[in-house]
Each structure stands twice: as C-alpha cells, then as structure tokens.
Amino acid sequence: MRIVLLGAPGSGKGTQAKKLEADRNIPQVSTGDMLRAAVAAGTRFGLQAKSIMDAGNLVSDEIMLGIISERLAEPDASDGFILDGFPRTRQQALDLDELLDQIGTPLDAAVLMDVDFEILMKRLTGRRTCSLTGKLLNIYFSPQEELDACTEAGGELQQREDDNEEVIRNRLDVYREQTEPLVNFYRKRGNLKTVDADGTIDEVYARFLQAIS
Ligand code: AMP
C-alpha cells in the first residue's frame, strides 16, 4: 500500500502513520523525522536545514526530492510506504509522480487528516516528548498520570523548537499557502480520502483504516 498523508502540522499524521506502520508493517516515511535526524547528526546540511525548520519554513524542493528518492529506493519501501510530510508543495507532488512512474508503482491514496484550526493550535502548543521514553504527550490532552509518570521518573517534557506559538503560526500559514492546494490536486485525480481527525487517537485510527480499506 502506497499512501500520502496530507494535513496541517498537528493534524496527527505522524501518530496515525506510526500506528499503521506497526499494524501493517509498512514503513512510515517522515521527512520531518529524517531532517531532524540530519540536524541531530550535526552534518553541514543538517545545520542549514535547522535554521529553515526553526523558522517554520520549507526546505527546498530540490533537496527534498534527493532525500525522498533515496529513501523510497530502500528495500523496506518496495512493498509500500506511508508518506508523512511529503509532498508539501505542488512541485514535490509532481516530483513524486515522476518518481513513482519510474518505479512503476502508483499511489493508492492521498489521505487528508482534517482538523479545526483551534484544535491544531492546542495540539501543537501543547505537544511534548518525554525525554526518557520518547513518548509523545500533550499538556492539554494527555491524562495527568501519563504526564506525571514521565516527570516523576526523572524525565523532562520536552518541546520541539518549532512548536512555539510564533513559529507555529508561520508553519500553519506555509501549510495554507503551499500544501493545502494539494488537497485539490489529489481530489481531481479521484484518489483523495478525507478523515475527520478530531477525536481520540483510536477513534481517528478507526476512521483512517476505514478510509484506506
Ligand atoms: P514535520 O515534522 O513534518 O512538521 O516537519 C518539520 C519541518 O521539516 C517543516 O516545518 C519543514 O521545515 C521541514 N520539512 C519536512 N518535510 C518537508 C518537505 N516535504 N518539504 C520541505 N520541508 C519539509
């Protein structure tokens, strides 16, 4: 199964992709995670990407094409993948088409995770990662016991550098301008599925599975 996940930052693409990856053994390909790994590795490219990401802007289409074409050529992606965070521009969508044409494997679906703006803001400003377990939490939505379990075990609730309010506003603007038009791009082709992504992780996952079944 080859799926593109569309949706604003905070719409839950990563969370849902990870669940599907675990269930169906299809790799989640998150360009955001790949870029963060390059930043953490401290490569020259990572340093350049960091300032773009910290401001909530997009890394160039050319660089993203290089990253994604290498990743999709890896053996674990040969039977399918869940693209999380790519494509983000019309050019990237066209590049993806060309790439998939070359390997003769068309997309099965583009799935839009649809959420209200207000909820997005809370999801993003409240998002934290437990430094001990790597678990994704949210100060507004996670049960207090789960938040306490992290801090009481000596962990910290860490916030992504691009999850502060000013950068979040920019990321949402960039999404509206550059990525949202892709909803129509895939709708016109007849392979767009829309999932109401407002609800608990399990509720949304059930809708997601139904959409791709
Ligand atoms: P994400 O974790 O998907 O929200 O991505 C974090 C950041 O990585 C974005 O705000 C961009 O700066 C960068 N990024 C991730 N995917 C892409 C992409 N497909 N094109 C350009 N920049 C990207």
Side-chain angles (χ1 to χ4, degrees):
M1 179 172 285
R2 285 170 295 275
I3 308 177
V4 160
L5 284 185
L6 292 173
S11 59
K13 298 188 298 295
T15 305
Q16 297 298 327
K18 282 197 177 77
K19 276 182 84 70
L20 191 65
E21 174 181 64
D23 262 8
R24 303 273 174 98
N25 208 16
I26 317 169
Q28 170 206 18
V29 174
S30 159
T31 43
D33 285 350
M34 290 160 80
L35 290 168
R36 279 184 288 278
V39 171
T43 59
R44 209 159 66 102
F45 161 66
L47 286 179
Q48 285 167 359
K50 184 178 184 331
S51 57
I52 297 172
M53 293 166 76
D54 285 351
N57 294 321
L58 295 184
V59 173
S60 79
D61 291 336
E62 206 184 338
I63 287 176
M64 294 315 300
L65 174 60
I67 291 179
I68 208 77
S69 51
E70 267 184 30
R71 179 64 187 90
L72 295 188
E74 283 178 28
D76 68 331
S78 63
D79 287 337
F81 46 76
I82 312 154
L83 286 184
D84 162 13
F86 186 95
R88 257 178 156 96
T89 64
R90 187 180 160 77
Q91 184 58 50
Q92 290 180 13
L94 296 171
D95 288 342
L96 178 64
D97 274 352
E98 209 175 302
L99 205 60
L100 295 180
D101 262 4
Q102 281 166 12
I103 42 182
T105 53
L107 271 188
D108 293 303
V111 181
L112 170 66
M113 294 289 162
D114 200 19
V115 193
D116 268 7
F117 184 78
E118 297 284 296
I119 297 173
L120 288 178
M121 278 312 274
K122 275 192 147 178
R123 283 196 186 167
L124 291 165
T125 54
R127 183 154 74 175
R128 301 288 186 277
T129 306
C130 177
S131 61
L132 279 184
T133 60
K135 191 172 174 147
L136 267 183
L137 297 162
N138 190 294
I139 56 169
Y140 301 116
F141 302 121
S142 298
Q144 193 58 43
E145 308 86 76
E146 284 192 25
L147 296 165
D148 292 345
C150 175
T151 48
E152 280 162 14
E156 266 178 55
L157 294 171
Q158 291 174 332
Q159 191 171 24
R160 262 170 58 167
E161 291 206 27
D162 58 353
D163 272 347
N164 69 68
E165 198 152 338
E166 190 191 330
V167 176
I168 287 169
R169 284 197 187 280
N170 188 40
R171 286 163 65 206
L172 290 173
D173 284 348
V174 168
Y175 173 76
R176 282 207 192 104
E177 280 163 27
Q178 311 227 41
T179 311
E180 208 167 50
L182 297 184
V183 172
N184 262 334
F185 178 96
Y186 287 111
R187 184 179 285 130
K188 278 189 193 145
R189 301 196 171 173
N191 58 357
L192 180 78
K193 317 265 181 202
T194 302
V195 170
D196 172 4
D198 178 6
T200 65
I201 292 174
D202 289 339
E203 283 164 357
V204 176
Y205 188 58
R207 291 177 205 141
F208 180 30
L209 286 183
Q210 204 177 16
I212 59 172
S213 66

